[in-house]
Amino acid sequence: QVQLVESGGGLVQPGGSLRLSCAASGIIFSIYDMGWYRQAPGKQRDMVALITSGGSTNYADSVKGRFTISRDNAKNTVYLQINSLKPEDTAVYYCNADVRAVGGVRYNVWGQGTQVTVSS
């Protein structure tokens, strides 16, 4: 029942911008920490941005100053604004929820990913 669905990826030229969205269902969105991760072919999945339920943010060094994570709890949606895109930003971008269920169970939920391709 828990589901995260990413959207907003696509092909963009270097220096361009893109806004990714992650719509959550099946969870009480507002109480969970959320994050964006990315994975390029043949490489590990890496964290790029995190946002807590309270709105605190954290970014990977490689994206600081270019990426902005935000959330709209009323829409059960987390966003990733990505500016000044570089070819090395090309990857599948995944949304993540740090879910804490009743009874103290904690687990991660992942979306299916959305492809971001930066190319001229």
Side-chain angles (χ1 to χ4, degrees):
Q1 188 62 47
V2 179
Q3 190 173 41
L4 303 176
V5 180
E6 302 95 334
S7 62
L11 175 64
V12 64
Q13 294 184 345
S17 297
L18 212 56
R19 191 192 193 198
L20 308 184
S21 298
C22 171
S25 62
I27 60 172
I28 307 174
F29 178 82
S30 62
I31 69 173
Y32 300 120
D33 299 342
M34 303 292 295
W36 284 98
Y37 295 70
R38 67 185 181 187
Q39 186 170 23
K43 299 198 174 187
Q44 295 184 5
R45 186 176 298 184
D46 295 322
M47 185 276 291
V48 295
L50 300 173
I51 185 166
T52 69
S53 60
S56 298
T57 59
N58 190 32
Y59 299 92
D61 288 342
S62 60
V63 307
K64 286 180 179 177
R66 300 189 298 118
F67 287 27
T68 302
I69 188 171
S70 62
R71 65 193 298 161
D72 186 339
N73 290 339
K75 296 182 178 180
N76 283 4
T77 301
V78 62
Y79 304 96
L80 185 68
Q81 178 69 44
I82 47 182
N83 299 325
S84 301
L85 279 160
K86 305 174 181 179
E88 52 263 43
D89 294 321
T90 296
V92 177
Y93 284 70
Y94 296 92
C95 182
N96 172 265
D98 181 10
V99 177
R100 299 172 184 264
V102 174
V105 177
R106 182 179 181 182
Y107 59 95
N108 285 298
V109 176
W110 296 94
Q112 84 291 339
T114 185
Q115 177 71 49
V116 172
T117 303
V118 184
S119 176
S120 60

